[in-house]
Amino acid sequence: MGEHPEAARAASIAAKSLWRPEAKGFRDAFLRAVKVRDVVSPKGIYTGRAPSYDVDYRRIHSVVERITLGLYFWEFEQPMPSELAVSVLDGMSINRSPKTEREAVERIAGKFAGSDFHSRAGGCFKFARKSIDESVGHIWSMRFFDGFDFIAAAYDQREHGPMYYGPEYVDELRYDSRGT
């Protein structure tokens, strides 16, 4: 979340909401993910032990997929057609993927250079959309709290089949005949 001022406020609200009775399932899953681990500084110096947690990327991707459906509706004033599916790639997956996939994602991300990003919620959420080609459809670049990036593609699943971009692996990215 970086040092964004709204991020601290959102984190505080989220922490309080964990203790609502309706949040029991999420709270239990979160608490199961918390572990105490060794902490090492960026220079490799052991600094002690501290609580940490494993991020559930599938859960986060599910939220970003729903946000993408909302962005589609906001931009086109109609629901996303049923033949389109949404696939999400996050910044952590990009960093963990093989070099060829990183280069492909960097080419896609480069399409957003100089784009006018829409900003919402006091700058907590920024996004832009590009139409890539007929078979891929639309790609959104999203940034939350000036520190966590996502690329979401709405693509024709009849042509490409299911795609999942997660921390475990990155599927082949598709490009049009111009290599974009």
Side-chain angles (χ1 to χ4, degrees), residues 68-78 118 120 127 140:
T68 304
L69 293 174
L71 289 174
Y72 188 98
F73 188 87
W74 180 77
E75 292 197 44
F76 298 104
E77 298 180 351
Q78 64 182 6
H118 299 278
R120 298 288 183 266
F127 64 95
W140 281 266

PDB file of all heavy atoms in Angstrom, residues 68-78 118 120 127 140:
ATOM      1  N   THR A  68     -12.930  -5.150 -12.745  1.00  0.00           N
ATOM      2  CA  THR A  68     -12.852  -5.056 -14.205  1.00  0.00           C
ATOM      3  C   THR A  68     -14.243  -5.096 -14.824  1.00  0.00           C
ATOM      4  O   THR A  68     -14.535  -4.325 -15.752  1.00  0.00           O
ATOM      5  CB  THR A  68     -11.967  -6.184 -14.767  1.00  0.00           C
ATOM      6  OG1 THR A  68     -10.679  -6.119 -14.137  1.00  0.00           O
ATOM      7  CG2 THR A  68     -11.806  -6.070 -16.275  1.00  0.00           C
ATOM      8  N   LEU A  69     -15.112  -5.957 -14.323  1.00  0.00           N
ATOM      9  CA  LEU A  69     -16.490  -6.001 -14.821  1.00  0.00           C
ATOM     10  C   LEU A  69     -17.174  -4.648 -14.600  1.00  0.00           C
ATOM     11  O   LEU A  69     -17.897  -4.158 -15.473  1.00  0.00           O
ATOM     12  CB  LEU A  69     -17.278  -7.104 -14.124  1.00  0.00           C
ATOM     13  CG  LEU A  69     -16.846  -8.536 -14.426  1.00  0.00           C
ATOM     14  CD1 LEU A  69     -17.614  -9.521 -13.551  1.00  0.00           C
ATOM     15  CD2 LEU A  69     -17.032  -8.868 -15.891  1.00  0.00           C
ATOM     16  N   GLY A  70     -16.933  -4.045 -13.439  1.00  0.00           N
ATOM     17  CA  GLY A  70     -17.496  -2.730 -13.159  1.00  0.00           C
ATOM     18  C   GLY A  70     -16.924  -1.650 -14.063  1.00  0.00           C
ATOM     19  O   GLY A  70     -17.649  -0.772 -14.531  1.00  0.00           O
ATOM     20  N   LEU A  71     -15.616  -1.712 -14.330  1.00  0.00           N
ATOM     21  CA  LEU A  71     -14.997  -0.736 -15.230  1.00  0.00           C
ATOM     22  C   LEU A  71     -15.548  -0.878 -16.645  1.00  0.00           C
ATOM     23  O   LEU A  71     -15.788   0.124 -17.330  1.00  0.00           O
ATOM     24  CB  LEU A  71     -13.472  -0.901 -15.239  1.00  0.00           C
ATOM     25  CG  LEU A  71     -12.754  -0.474 -13.966  1.00  0.00           C
ATOM     26  CD1 LEU A  71     -11.272  -0.832 -14.058  1.00  0.00           C
ATOM     27  CD2 LEU A  71     -12.938   1.005 -13.702  1.00  0.00           C
ATOM     28  N   TYR A  72     -15.763  -2.122 -17.082  1.00  0.00           N
ATOM     29  CA  TYR A  72     -16.339  -2.338 -18.404  1.00  0.00           C
ATOM     30  C   TYR A  72     -17.708  -1.666 -18.465  1.00  0.00           C
ATOM     31  O   TYR A  72     -18.023  -0.939 -19.413  1.00  0.00           O
ATOM     32  CB  TYR A  72     -16.456  -3.839 -18.700  1.00  0.00           C
ATOM     33  CG  TYR A  72     -16.865  -4.116 -20.125  1.00  0.00           C
ATOM     34  CD1 TYR A  72     -15.910  -4.431 -21.075  1.00  0.00           C
ATOM     35  CD2 TYR A  72     -18.201  -4.038 -20.523  1.00  0.00           C
ATOM     36  CE1 TYR A  72     -16.261  -4.667 -22.396  1.00  0.00           C
ATOM     37  CE2 TYR A  72     -18.571  -4.267 -21.832  1.00  0.00           C
ATOM     38  CZ  TYR A  72     -17.594  -4.582 -22.768  1.00  0.00           C
ATOM     39  OH  TYR A  72     -17.954  -4.803 -24.073  1.00  0.00           O
ATOM     40  N   PHE A  73     -18.525  -1.903 -17.454  1.00  0.00           N
ATOM     41  CA  PHE A  73     -19.860  -1.308 -17.421  1.00  0.00           C
ATOM     42  C   PHE A  73     -19.764   0.218 -17.392  1.00  0.00           C
ATOM     43  O   PHE A  73     -20.494   0.917 -18.099  1.00  0.00           O
ATOM     44  CB  PHE A  73     -20.646  -1.823 -16.212  1.00  0.00           C
ATOM     45  CG  PHE A  73     -22.084  -1.398 -16.234  1.00  0.00           C
ATOM     46  CD1 PHE A  73     -23.027  -2.161 -16.905  1.00  0.00           C
ATOM     47  CD2 PHE A  73     -22.493  -0.233 -15.614  1.00  0.00           C
ATOM     48  CE1 PHE A  73     -24.356  -1.775 -16.948  1.00  0.00           C
ATOM     49  CE2 PHE A  73     -23.818   0.174 -15.652  1.00  0.00           C
ATOM     50  CZ  PHE A  73     -24.754  -0.601 -16.318  1.00  0.00           C
ATOM     51  N   TRP A  74     -18.856   0.744 -16.589  1.00  0.00           N
ATOM     52  CA  TRP A  74     -18.686   2.199 -16.471  1.00  0.00           C
ATOM     53  C   TRP A  74     -18.283   2.811 -17.813  1.00  0.00           C
ATOM     54  O   TRP A  74     -18.798   3.849 -18.199  1.00  0.00           O
ATOM     55  CB  TRP A  74     -17.641   2.498 -15.398  1.00  0.00           C
ATOM     56  CG  TRP A  74     -17.375   3.946 -15.192  1.00  0.00           C
ATOM     57  CD1 TRP A  74     -18.148   4.850 -14.514  1.00  0.00           C
ATOM     58  CD2 TRP A  74     -16.239   4.682 -15.657  1.00  0.00           C
ATOM     59  NE1 TRP A  74     -17.569   6.093 -14.528  1.00  0.00           N
ATOM     60  CE2 TRP A  74     -16.395   6.021 -15.230  1.00  0.00           C
ATOM     61  CE3 TRP A  74     -15.110   4.341 -16.397  1.00  0.00           C
ATOM     62  CZ2 TRP A  74     -15.466   7.010 -15.514  1.00  0.00           C
ATOM     63  CZ3 TRP A  74     -14.184   5.321 -16.670  1.00  0.00           C
ATOM     64  CH2 TRP A  74     -14.370   6.644 -16.235  1.00  0.00           C
ATOM     65  N   GLU A  75     -17.383   2.140 -18.533  1.00  0.00           N
ATOM     66  CA  GLU A  75     -16.880   2.708 -19.780  1.00  0.00           C
ATOM     67  C   GLU A  75     -17.821   2.487 -20.968  1.00  0.00           C
ATOM     68  O   GLU A  75     -17.910   3.333 -21.848  1.00  0.00           O
ATOM     69  CB  GLU A  75     -15.492   2.144 -20.104  1.00  0.00           C
ATOM     70  CG  GLU A  75     -14.450   2.628 -19.101  1.00  0.00           C
ATOM     71  CD  GLU A  75     -13.035   2.462 -19.579  1.00  0.00           C
ATOM     72  OE1 GLU A  75     -12.757   2.784 -20.755  1.00  0.00           O
ATOM     73  OE2 GLU A  75     -12.203   2.007 -18.785  1.00  0.00           O
ATOM     74  N   PHE A  76     -18.507   1.358 -21.003  1.00  0.00           N
ATOM     75  CA  PHE A  76     -19.327   1.025 -22.171  1.00  0.00           C
ATOM     76  C   PHE A  76     -20.836   1.101 -21.907  1.00  0.00           C
ATOM     77  O   PHE A  76     -21.632   0.873 -22.803  1.00  0.00           O
ATOM     78  CB  PHE A  76     -18.959  -0.360 -22.706  1.00  0.00           C
ATOM     79  CG  PHE A  76     -17.540  -0.432 -23.181  1.00  0.00           C
ATOM     80  CD1 PHE A  76     -16.570  -1.057 -22.415  1.00  0.00           C
ATOM     81  CD2 PHE A  76     -17.167   0.150 -24.384  1.00  0.00           C
ATOM     82  CE1 PHE A  76     -15.251  -1.117 -22.845  1.00  0.00           C
ATOM     83  CE2 PHE A  76     -15.852   0.094 -24.819  1.00  0.00           C
ATOM     84  CZ  PHE A  76     -14.891  -0.533 -24.048  1.00  0.00           C
ATOM     85  N   GLU A  77     -21.223   1.358 -20.674  1.00  0.00           N
ATOM     86  CA  GLU A  77     -22.628   1.478 -20.263  1.00  0.00           C
ATOM     87  C   GLU A  77     -23.447   0.241 -20.604  1.00  0.00           C
ATOM     88  O   GLU A  77     -24.619   0.332 -20.971  1.00  0.00           O
ATOM     89  CB  GLU A  77     -23.249   2.744 -20.851  1.00  0.00           C
ATOM     90  CG  GLU A  77     -22.560   3.995 -20.353  1.00  0.00           C
ATOM     91  CD  GLU A  77     -23.148   5.267 -20.922  1.00  0.00           C
ATOM     92  OE1 GLU A  77     -23.999   5.210 -21.844  1.00  0.00           O
ATOM     93  OE2 GLU A  77     -22.757   6.333 -20.431  1.00  0.00           O
ATOM     94  N   GLN A  78     -22.809  -0.911 -20.492  1.00  0.00           N
ATOM     95  CA  GLN A  78     -23.492  -2.191 -20.666  1.00  0.00           C
ATOM     96  C   GLN A  78     -22.651  -3.278 -19.995  1.00  0.00           C
ATOM     97  O   GLN A  78     -21.438  -3.109 -19.837  1.00  0.00           O
ATOM     98  CB  GLN A  78     -23.700  -2.523 -22.136  1.00  0.00           C
ATOM     99  CG  GLN A  78     -22.412  -2.729 -22.902  1.00  0.00           C
ATOM    100  CD  GLN A  78     -22.665  -3.001 -24.380  1.00  0.00           C
ATOM    101  OE1 GLN A  78     -23.776  -2.939 -24.852  1.00  0.00           O
ATOM    102  NE2 GLN A  78     -21.614  -3.317 -25.108  1.00  0.00           N
ATOM    103  N   HIS A 118      -7.489   7.514 -15.141  1.00  0.00           N
ATOM    104  CA  HIS A 118      -8.585   8.018 -14.325  1.00  0.00           C
ATOM    105  C   HIS A 118      -8.192   7.794 -12.872  1.00  0.00           C
ATOM    106  O   HIS A 118      -7.549   6.799 -12.545  1.00  0.00           O
ATOM    107  CB  HIS A 118      -9.878   7.256 -14.615  1.00  0.00           C
ATOM    108  CG  HIS A 118     -10.331   7.371 -16.031  1.00  0.00           C
ATOM    109  ND1 HIS A 118     -11.027   8.452 -16.500  1.00  0.00           N
ATOM    110  CD2 HIS A 118     -10.169   6.530 -17.085  1.00  0.00           C
ATOM    111  CE1 HIS A 118     -11.299   8.275 -17.782  1.00  0.00           C
ATOM    112  NE2 HIS A 118     -10.772   7.123 -18.166  1.00  0.00           N
ATOM    113  N   ARG A 120      -9.663   7.737  -8.825  1.00  0.00           N
ATOM    114  CA  ARG A 120     -10.842   7.670  -7.967  1.00  0.00           C
ATOM    115  C   ARG A 120     -10.401   7.542  -6.514  1.00  0.00           C
ATOM    116  O   ARG A 120      -9.268   7.176  -6.235  1.00  0.00           O
ATOM    117  CB  ARG A 120     -11.735   6.467  -8.326  1.00  0.00           C
ATOM    118  CG  ARG A 120     -12.302   6.513  -9.729  1.00  0.00           C
ATOM    119  CD  ARG A 120     -13.382   7.593  -9.820  1.00  0.00           C
ATOM    120  NE  ARG A 120     -14.010   7.652 -11.112  1.00  0.00           N
ATOM    121  CZ  ARG A 120     -13.638   8.457 -12.101  1.00  0.00           C
ATOM    122  NH1 ARG A 120     -12.609   9.240 -11.967  1.00  0.00           N
ATOM    123  NH2 ARG A 120     -14.290   8.472 -13.232  1.00  0.00           N
ATOM    124  N   PHE A 127      -6.684   4.010 -13.017  1.00  0.00           N
ATOM    125  CA  PHE A 127      -6.816   3.001 -14.055  1.00  0.00           C
ATOM    126  C   PHE A 127      -6.860   3.645 -15.431  1.00  0.00           C
ATOM    127  O   PHE A 127      -7.184   4.820 -15.581  1.00  0.00           O
ATOM    128  CB  PHE A 127      -8.079   2.150 -13.850  1.00  0.00           C
ATOM    129  CG  PHE A 127      -9.356   2.938 -13.977  1.00  0.00           C
ATOM    130  CD1 PHE A 127     -10.042   2.975 -15.180  1.00  0.00           C
ATOM    131  CD2 PHE A 127      -9.870   3.623 -12.901  1.00  0.00           C
ATOM    132  CE1 PHE A 127     -11.211   3.696 -15.296  1.00  0.00           C
ATOM    133  CE2 PHE A 127     -11.047   4.346 -13.004  1.00  0.00           C
ATOM    134  CZ  PHE A 127     -11.725   4.391 -14.206  1.00  0.00           C
ATOM    135  N   TRP A 140      -6.895  -3.405 -19.052  1.00  0.00           N
ATOM    136  CA  TRP A 140      -6.862  -2.316 -18.080  1.00  0.00           C
ATOM    137  C   TRP A 140      -5.575  -2.413 -17.278  1.00  0.00           C
ATOM    138  O   TRP A 140      -5.150  -3.504 -16.911  1.00  0.00           O
ATOM    139  CB  TRP A 140      -8.031  -2.426 -17.101  1.00  0.00           C
ATOM    140  CG  TRP A 140      -9.329  -1.938 -17.623  1.00  0.00           C
ATOM    141  CD1 TRP A 140      -9.866  -0.684 -17.475  1.00  0.00           C
ATOM    142  CD2 TRP A 140     -10.289  -2.676 -18.372  1.00  0.00           C
ATOM    143  NE1 TRP A 140     -11.085  -0.617 -18.091  1.00  0.00           N
ATOM    144  CE2 TRP A 140     -11.368  -1.825 -18.652  1.00  0.00           C
ATOM    145  CE3 TRP A 140     -10.338  -3.990 -18.856  1.00  0.00           C
ATOM    146  CZ2 TRP A 140     -12.485  -2.234 -19.367  1.00  0.00           C
ATOM    147  CZ3 TRP A 140     -11.441  -4.400 -19.573  1.00  0.00           C
ATOM    148  CH2 TRP A 140     -12.499  -3.518 -19.823  1.00  0.00           C
TER     149      TRP A 140
END
